Amino acid sequence: MNFFRYFIIFIFLNSFFLPAQSSQQDTLDKLFIELKKLNNSKNAELLEKKIWSIWNVHPRDIKLTEKLEFGAELIQYGNYDYALKVFDNILANDPEWSEAWNKRATVLFLMKLYSESLSDIEKVLKIESRHFGALSGQARIFIKLQQYEKAIVSLKKALKFYPSFRSGELIPELERLIREESI
């Protein structure tokens, strides 16, 4: 059993006696308030990890959490087709779980299915508008498509919630590319 699985079980057991969904949302809200205040990237990264640990746990169903973890492992091994099926299955069970949409968007990106990935990212952002991972992924797709202005917009949205987000460092380079294109 890997570290991630132990971590998931720990999070699950710690939240077992609380109303999961509202507890998760309350915790996320508090973490995002703190994240917005931080300019120290080291402390912000710790908050980022806490946010990801919440996003990666389904609020009511540990089996869906386990499936998400399995799908993520499949991605690591390059088995994108199978991972896509796993995420499709999760979404058939709960189409309101933003992280399942985000993971599926990641697989679609890796499969170079950019428009499908963008569609899934839009679903993530409808559920969790502060999802800086999805916004960063959206920016990366726009960069691949050489739509640099749209990439900057995505990154700036992420920076509203996460001012020290490292992906924001791409903005000056994207602005340079835009200037070069206009010459």
Side-chain angles (χ1 to χ4, degrees):
M1 194 179 260
N2 64 23
F3 171 77
F4 184 73
R5 185 174 296 255
Y6 281 119
F7 185 73
I8 295 298
I9 291 169
F10 172 78
I11 295 293
F12 175 74
L13 290 175
N14 280 328
S15 64
F16 186 74
F17 297 104
L18 300 171
Q21 194 150 10
S22 66
S23 174
Q24 272 191 344
Q25 194 58 47
D26 291 345
T27 303
L28 278 172
D29 290 345
K30 289 175 186 171
L31 290 170
F32 272 104
I33 288 168
E34 289 303 310
L35 188 63
K36 194 170 187 172
K37 294 177 188 175
L38 290 176
N39 288 327
N40 178 327
S41 62
K42 196 121 181 134
N43 289 336
E45 286 177 18
L46 292 173
L47 286 177
E48 177 185 340
K49 287 178 184 178
K50 288 180 182 180
I51 290 168
W52 279 109
S53 72
I54 294 169
W55 282 340
N56 282 304
V57 175
H58 191 275
R60 296 175 307 281
D61 190 340
I62 191 68
K63 294 212 181 295
L64 292 180
T65 300
E66 291 170 352
K67 285 181 183 182
L68 189 84
E69 177 186 337
F70 178 61
E73 288 176 15
L74 290 169
I75 292 172
Q76 289 178 347
Y77 292 109
N79 196 339
Y80 304 146
D81 291 327
Y82 192 15
L84 184 60
K85 289 178 185 174
V86 170
F87 298 131
D88 286 345
N89 178 271
I90 294 168
L91 290 165
N93 285 285
D94 185 356
E96 295 302 313
W97 189 16
S98 64
E99 195 51 33
W101 287 110
N102 188 54
K103 292 287 191 279
R104 193 171 89 163
T106 300
V107 171
L108 292 167
F109 171 80
L110 294 169
M111 297 170 82
K112 298 182 179 10
L113 299 171
Y114 301 131
S115 62
E116 291 91 336
S117 183
L118 285 171
S119 176
D120 279 8
I121 289 169
E122 286 301 319
K123 291 173 183 156
V124 174
L125 296 173
K126 282 182 184 170
I127 298 166
E128 176 53 85
S129 62
R130 304 170 295 191
H131 202 301
F132 48 80
L135 288 164
S136 178
Q138 186 179 56
R140 293 188 188 284
I141 292 170
F142 289 140
I143 290 167
K144 289 272 187 192
L145 299 174
Q146 297 181 336
Q147 296 176 5
Y148 305 126
E149 295 91 354
K150 288 182 178 182
I152 291 171
V153 169
S154 297
L155 293 172
K156 285 183 176 179
K157 284 180 185 176
L159 290 171
K160 286 180 186 176
F161 308 113
Y162 188 173
S164 59
F165 191 38
R166 277 197 229 149
S167 291
E169 296 170 359
L170 293 171
I171 293 174
E173 178 63 20
L174 293 170
E175 290 170 338
R176 184 188 63 76
L177 289 170
I178 293 168
R179 281 191 305 273
E180 286 178 3
E181 280 184 344
S182 65
I183 296 176

